Amino acid sequence: MKRYFLILLLLPGLFAGCDLLQEPSTGISDEEVARGLKEALRVGTDSSVALLNRTDGYFKDEAVKIFLPPEVQQVQQLIETTVPGANLLLNEVVLKMNRAAEDAAAEAAPIFKDAITGMSIQDARDILFGSDSAATVYLETQTRSQLFAAYSPKVQASLAEVGLPTLWNQIATPYNQFANSLPGQLAGAQPIPDDLSEYVTNKALDGLFTKVEDKEKDIRYNLNERVTDLLQKVFGLLNK
């Protein structure tokens, strides 16, 4: 019994030098991983903001284009029947919503920068070895409420500048009067929102994070997107 006990005591020492029991060295420090992730996020967010903060950044990109709210689409045919010229007006509404989102996109840059600066080493490791969209999820969790607060007044101002509130009133007011009337109720008409600013703000943010996620996946899987030595070194760990 003493002999077996002695062997058990010696086992850790016997295998201490065995490579099979040691975690392989990656040749890169935790600090470098953190710097690499922060650099990747800066590249990704800067690129995403630049893509969207220009004419047709939203409007001509089907992946992020802002369409009419679902509740409006559901009654679009009835709106076009009820409101003279509604078809052309609705097309103009879609254009103006996207123009407001394009104008507001620049508001994201400083908020993203603060979130990236505050990232911890553990956050960086979790993101690097996490899901394909781990960095995007982290950023959205950290910044969505701040971005909404920053976007909202900008979107409202942009919508006012392009004349959307006046245009929308030409559609929503007569249609809602019909929807709330007895004939409208008999026809199954449902009222539509009087104000589109909250809807546009949320859709603008959805589009922003869609672009950030696309860029994250590019950096993870496309070697040509790793535009600096540090990005190549850090994300090269994923290829091993």
Side-chain angles (χ1 to χ4, degrees), residues 173-189:
T173 299
Y175 173 76
N176 283 337
Q177 288 174 349
F178 168 74
N180 291 319
S181 69
L182 181 59
Q185 293 172 12
L186 292 174

Side-chain angles (χ1 to χ4, degrees), residues 17-36:
C18 180
D19 291 338
L20 294 176
L21 296 183
Q22 291 181 342
E23 184 177 343
S25 172
T26 61
I28 183 170
S29 69
D30 286 344
E31 289 76 11
E32 284 180 300
V33 169
R35 284 195 293 111

Side-chain angles (χ1 to χ4, degrees), residues 37-120:
L37 256 296
K38 289 180 180 182
E39 186 168 313
L41 284 172
R42 279 193 291 271
V43 169
T45 55
D46 287 350
S47 174
S48 300
V49 169
L51 281 172
L52 297 175
N53 184 219
R54 61 182 181 180
T55 301
D56 292 332
Y58 278 88
F59 186 66
K60 290 192 175 179
D61 186 337
E62 291 297 312
V64 297
K65 183 177 180 178
I66 301 174
F67 295 94
L68 294 168
E71 60 268 36
V72 177
Q73 293 184 43
Q74 289 171 6
V75 294
Q76 184 169 345
Q77 186 174 356
L78 192 53
I79 293 173
E80 292 174 355
T81 302
T82 307
V83 181
N87 183 41
L88 294 176
L89 293 174
L90 288 172
N91 288 338
E92 188 67 14
V93 166
V94 170
L95 175 62
K96 291 180 184 299
M97 288 192 301
N98 284 275
R99 289 289 181 259
E102 291 158 7
D103 191 35
E107 300 298 312
I111 295 173
F112 278 151
K113 182 178 179 181
D114 287 344
I116 294 167
T117 301
M119 180 187 294
S120 70

Side-chain angles (χ1 to χ4, degrees), residues 8-9 21 24 26 39 64 69 82 87 96 110 123 132 140 183 196 205 240:
L8 289 173
L9 288 177
L21 296 183
T26 61
E39 186 168 313
V64 297
T82 307
N87 183 41
K96 291 180 184 299
D123 288 334
D132 290 350
E140 186 163 8
L196 294 179
L205 292 178
K240 295 180 179 179

